[in-house]
Amino acid sequence: MPIEGFDYKAFAANMAEQAKDLVPKDLQDREKEYIVKTLGNFTMLAGEALYNDDSLNLSVEQAVFITQIIAEWSFHKSIDLVHSGILPEYWDGIMQKIAFTIFEVAKQAIIRKIPQEQLLQAVEHHVVKVYKSSIEELEQKGIIDENTKNRAESQSNIDAMAQQAQAEQQKQAQEAAEQAQNAQNDAEKRKEERQNKRKMREQAASIQKTGVTQKQMKLMSLALVLKILSQDKVTTILNKFEQSDSQAIAQYMNMADLESHLDADLISGCLNEIKEYLPQKRKLTKENVLGDLLRIYRNAPREKIEKVIKNERPLVKRFISQAYDGEYSDLPLRVAGIVAQYVEESV
């Protein structure tokens, strides 16, 4: 009796409909139509044969399994034939041999209760064998040449789709790993921000307890650093501050017990904050030296600059003079940098 519950017509139609979305986009419309039509026809024929074969006594699941194998291999090998270079009039003959082989191998494997994995391996082995022998037969008959034979035998859409699926899985895994890493980085960043905010609140509370303002704390922290520098460097740095701040720093430097007024964490926090506003050391180049001098010229009268270099050597005077015109003389670059810094500090 027919297999109850096995609607092979609906199943074949469903498989053909799914195939429309999987057909390679680079194929022509007639080629796509052939692939979908071939899959639908062979699936329908196989399903009908199984449905009406009372001797097999198959379950619905077994009938669906065999029919699905034929549908999938019909799809892959019809694509291989389209890409093979073999003329379309020979495609049906090859596909019929493949479909019949799958049907018989799968049916016998089910009857003999061979495990599903071994069944699939056996089907693949015989499909490849029949496909290859059919191609070689066409060559022997002179229908195709050796190049076409080699091209046809090298086609394997099932392997191509497996590689594509693997690549997509790897891509998804990589994207998931990157997202996880980004999430972890964001979490660590938020944690660090919370810690910094808490630390700033603690520092602010500590400062309030000492009765010292935030600005005074920064000036004290800077004073601690300046205490270990040479007097020339200290003078250079203090000249860049407003007079009131410069005087305050100098007073703090003279405090014998300055360290006792400051907490180590507070000092570190203040210095890090000050560091963000310090200018970055630039590479010593002719362009940078000239740029610095031109900036000085815009902010200071020429007479004042000439007064600064009044007692300098002629080579230095010529360098300063040419710099007004945006020209660089033959003064060594290191010396030029020192001269530019000297002029800036002197005016």
Side-chain angles (χ1 to χ4, degrees):
M1 59 179 294
I3 304 173
E4 186 177 353
F6 178 44
D7 189 349
Y8 63 88
K9 293 181 180 179
F11 183 78
N14 180 262
M15 295 298 290
E17 189 65 28
Q18 291 183 40
K20 292 180 181 179
D21 297 327
L22 300 175
V23 175
K25 306 301 182 183
D26 62 321
L27 299 181
Q28 299 179 12
D29 290 342
R30 61 181 180 81
E31 295 171 336
K32 295 178 181 178
E33 182 180 350
Y34 173 81
I35 294 168
V36 174
K37 183 179 178 181
T38 299
L39 180 150
N41 288 341
F42 285 135
T43 305
M44 176 77 75
L45 291 173
E48 184 178 10
L50 294 173
Y51 181 80
N52 294 319
D53 193 339
D54 296 336
S55 64
L56 295 176
N57 194 28
L58 299 177
S59 66
V60 175
E61 292 76 14
Q62 290 172 325
V64 168
F65 180 62
I66 295 175
T67 310
Q68 185 171 355
I69 294 175
I70 292 176
E72 291 177 354
W73 277 108
S74 297
F75 176 78
H76 292 303
K77 299 317 290 182
S78 59
I79 291 177
D80 290 345
L81 283 173
V82 170
H83 286 144
S84 69
I86 297 174
L87 295 176
E89 53 260 38
Y90 301 104
W91 295 351
D92 282 344
I94 296 174
M95 289 304 305
Q96 288 170 5
K97 292 179 182 179
I98 291 173
F100 178 77
T101 298
I102 297 172
F103 184 81
E104 290 300 320
V105 171
K107 186 171 66 172
Q108 291 302 318
I110 291 290
I111 293 173
R112 293 164 57 187
K113 298 182 179 180
I114 294 176
Q116 191 174 106
E117 185 176 349
Q118 293 182 20
L119 184 156
L120 294 174
Q121 291 175 352
V123 168
E124 182 175 4
H125 170 76
H126 284 87
V127 166
V128 173
K129 183 178 179 180
V130 170
Y131 178 77
K132 184 176 180 181
S133 64
S134 299
I135 302 301
E136 292 175 347
E137 183 180 349
L138 291 178
E139 184 194 22
Q140 292 171 0
K141 292 180 179 180
I143 296 175
I144 62 175
D145 57 19
E146 184 177 3
N147 289 335
T148 303
K149 184 201 78 166
N150 293 336
R151 177 181 174 182
E153 290 181 346
S154 68
Q155 302 300 319
S156 181
N157 185 69
I158 191 171
D159 290 337
M161 288 189 66
Q163 292 174 359
Q164 182 180 358
Q166 184 179 9
E168 290 177 353
Q169 289 177 352
Q170 291 176 346
K171 181 180 179 181
Q172 291 174 357
Q174 183 178 356
E175 290 176 348
E178 290 177 353
Q179 291 175 357
Q181 184 63 49
N182 291 337
Q184 182 179 352
N185 292 341
D186 290 342
E188 292 177 353
K189 185 178 180 180
R190 289 193 295 270
K191 180 180 179 181
E192 184 179 356
E193 289 175 350
R194 289 195 299 269
Q195 291 175 342
N196 290 337
K197 288 181 180 179
R198 184 174 65 252
K199 190 173 182 180
M200 290 176 65
R201 288 195 298 268
E202 292 173 351
Q203 290 177 351
S206 179
I207 290 173
Q208 288 178 357
K209 290 180 181 179
T210 62
V212 179
T213 66
Q214 183 74 24
K215 181 177 180 180
Q216 288 175 322
M217 183 63 67
K218 293 178 182 178
L219 296 180
M220 288 181 178
S221 300
L222 183 58
L224 276 177
V225 176
L226 296 183
K227 287 177 71 173
I228 64 175
L229 299 181
S230 66
Q231 185 59 46
D232 291 342
K233 291 184 178 179
V234 170
T235 302
T236 300
I237 294 174
L238 292 181
N239 287 338
K240 298 182 181 298
F241 285 85
E242 294 182 2
Q243 185 175 2
S244 58
D245 292 338
S246 177
Q247 291 175 349
I249 294 173
Q251 291 176 358
Y252 294 142
M253 289 176 64
N254 293 325
M255 289 176 60
D257 58 345
L258 177 61
E259 293 83 351
S260 64
H261 293 276
L262 300 172
D263 179 83
D265 290 335
L266 291 177
I267 296 173
S268 178
C270 289
L271 291 179
N272 285 332
E273 188 174 346
I274 293 172
K275 183 179 178 181
E276 295 180 2
Y277 296 95
L278 294 177
Q280 299 295 319
K281 184 177 180 180
R282 294 184 304 163
K283 185 177 180 180
L284 186 61
T285 64
K286 294 180 180 180
E287 292 76 11
N288 287 340
V289 172
L290 283 176
D292 290 340
L293 287 173
L294 290 174
R295 175 175 51 79
I296 296 169
Y297 297 161
R298 287 194 297 270
N299 298 324
R302 184 164 183 169
E303 295 78 10
K304 186 175 181 180
I305 296 174
E306 290 178 348
K307 185 177 180 180
V308 170
I309 63 171
K310 179 179 179 181
N311 298 321
E312 294 294 333
R313 291 167 293 174
L315 187 65
V316 172
K317 293 181 178 180
R318 185 168 65 250
F319 170 72
I320 294 296
S321 178
Q322 291 181 345
Y324 270 102
D325 299 324
E327 298 178 0
Y328 187 93
S329 68
D330 297 331
L331 198 65
L333 185 57
R334 186 175 179 82
V335 176
I338 295 174
V339 171
Q341 184 177 1
Y342 168 71
V343 172
E344 182 178 12
E345 295 172 354
S346 300
V347 297

